[in-house]
């Protein structure tokens, strides 16, 4: 069994995949995104899973993907924005080095665009995104051992700070 060097959590648009890939490159380890795992297992994009099979089916696949990744991936792991809402996933994350990439509404909206590939954002993108941020932020904060703000920052700047906080989580 191995454990990820860091698990990145946060809402869509926080930069989990972008920052995660940078960290993996810097540390010469593999990067893994549980949304990608779900897409590979199903053979279709997350947006299609939501539309064709529903959110409940996607969330079940997501819980399974996170559980497998936490048990077998030794690199940098990014989990989907809603994954931490499942109590089972929160329980599995306990004891791991978890960093919450926090993003505000303006930056998140700019990064995700109109949400065509983001099924939870169809319709009123800003309103839906704000509701998701408000609902999930306390959960992200409760699960994470550290938090890094991403607003107005480059991915390299965010990755630099994540490296510092991960070192602190290892030592602490």
């Amino acid at each position: 069994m191995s454990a990820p060097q860091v698990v990145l959590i946060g809402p869509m648009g926080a930069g989990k995949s972008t920052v995660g890939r940078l960290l993996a490159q810097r540390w010469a380890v593999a990067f893994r995104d549980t949304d990608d795992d779900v897409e590979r297992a199903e053979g279709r994009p997350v947006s299609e899973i939501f539309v064709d099979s529903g959110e409940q089916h996607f969330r079940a696949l997501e819980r399974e993907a996170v559980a497998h990744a936490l048990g077998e991936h030794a690199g940098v792991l990014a989990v989907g924005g809603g994954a931490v809402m499942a109590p089972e996933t929160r329980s599995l994350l306990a004891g791991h080095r978890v960093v919450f990439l926090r993003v505000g509404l303006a930056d998140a909206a700019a990064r995700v665009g109109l949400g065509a590939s983001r099924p939870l954002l169809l319709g009123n993108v800003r309103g839906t995104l704000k509701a998701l941020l408000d609902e999930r932020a306390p959960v992200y904060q409760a699960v994470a051992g550290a938090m890094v703000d991403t607003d107005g920052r480059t991915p390299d700047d965010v990755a630099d700070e994540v490296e510092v906080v991960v070192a602190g989580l290892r030592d602490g």
Side-chain angles (χ1 to χ4, degrees), residues 33-142:
D33 184 318
T34 58
D35 281 348
D36 293 342
D37 291 351
V38 169
E39 288 183 344
R40 264 193 305 282
E42 285 286 292
R44 55 192 173 142
V46 168
S47 57
E48 282 184 25
I49 298 169
F50 261 78
V51 170
D52 296 342
S53 303
E55 183 176 1
Q56 186 174 354
H57 178 71
F58 170 75
R59 295 297 176 198
L61 296 170
E62 181 178 57
R63 286 190 300 275
E64 185 176 317
V66 172
H68 283 138
L70 288 171
E72 66 190 25
H73 182 68
V76 176
L77 179 63
V79 300
V84 300
M85 299 309 288
E88 307 93 322
T89 299
R90 291 195 301 273
S91 178
L92 289 172
L93 287 168
H96 289 276
R97 289 181 292 274
V98 179
V99 176
F100 166 28
L101 298 184
R102 185 167 65 178
V103 63
L105 178 59
D107 279 36
R111 292 175 188 169
V112 301
L114 295 177
S117 65
R118 311 278 186 157
L120 285 178
L121 295 184
L122 295 177
N124 178 358
V125 174
R126 286 183 71 87
T128 304
L129 189 53
K130 180 180 181 339
L132 287 172
L133 291 172
D134 290 347
E135 174 191 13
R136 295 175 178 176
V139 179
Y140 295 137
Q141 289 175 333

Side-chain angles (χ1 to χ4, degrees), residues 8-11 14-16 19 99-103 147-148 150 158 162:
L8 301 176
I9 65 170
K16 298 180 300 287
V19 171
V99 176
F100 166 28
L101 298 184
R102 185 167 65 178
V103 63
M147 180 175 57
V148 173
T150 67
V158 174
V162 171

